[in-house]
Amino acid sequence: QVQLVESGGGLVQPGGSLKLSCAASESIVQFKSMGWYRQRLGSQRELVGRVTGYGVTNYADSVKGRFTVAKDNAMNTVYLQMDNLKVEDTAVYYCNAERYSFRPPYWGQGTQVTVSS
């Protein structure tokens, strides 16, 4: 069982920045993709952004130009750089590892991000 541990969440003012980290207990090169999801109050969990093993990224329209997903294979870590944060970005953010061969993905426990003045 692979563990994913998020860190870096907290309280930030609108317009501010925050960087989340996701540390995996095993090599992340075994995964089809690594990404970040979030769940806002009263809403379904949604994709924020992801990066494939080939380095291809995709993002939700709501965060394009503001958020960046990056990975460091040597460190078994995936990052989410969040800039120009908005109040509506407030959510629990979850790290996700997509697996090959239709195996269920791995999920982190989540980290709270609160954007408020």
Side-chain angles (χ1 to χ4, degrees):
Q1 188 175 6
V2 176
Q3 292 184 334
L4 304 176
V5 181
E6 301 98 335
S7 62
L11 176 65
V12 64
Q13 296 184 81
S17 296
L18 209 58
K19 187 175 183 178
L20 306 183
S21 297
C22 171
S25 61
E26 296 181 11
S27 175
I28 63 174
V29 301
Q30 68 182 295
F31 301 124
K32 190 175 182 179
S33 72
M34 297 290 296
W36 292 89
Y37 290 70
R38 69 185 180 188
Q39 188 163 13
R40 292 177 276 198
L41 279 176
S43 299
Q44 298 294 107
R45 189 173 299 186
E46 63 183 355
L47 173 70
V48 176
R50 66 166 66 249
V51 58
T52 72
Y54 300 103
V56 178
T57 57
N58 67 287
Y59 300 92
D61 288 341
S62 59
V63 307
K64 285 180 180 176
R66 299 189 299 118
F67 290 11
T68 304
V69 176
K71 63 178 180 178
D72 188 331
N73 290 338
M75 293 289 103
N76 296 334
T77 302
V78 178
Y79 305 95
L80 179 65
Q81 177 66 49
M82 303 182 292
D83 297 316
N84 192 24
L85 282 159
K86 304 177 183 296
V87 172
E88 52 263 42
D89 293 321
T90 296
V92 177
Y93 285 73
Y94 297 90
C95 184
N96 168 271
E98 183 184 19
R99 301 163 73 191
Y100 290 101
S101 304
F102 302 103
R103 294 181 176 87
Y106 293 112
W107 291 94
Q109 292 297 116
T111 185
Q112 177 71 46
V113 172
T114 302
V115 184
S116 176
S117 58

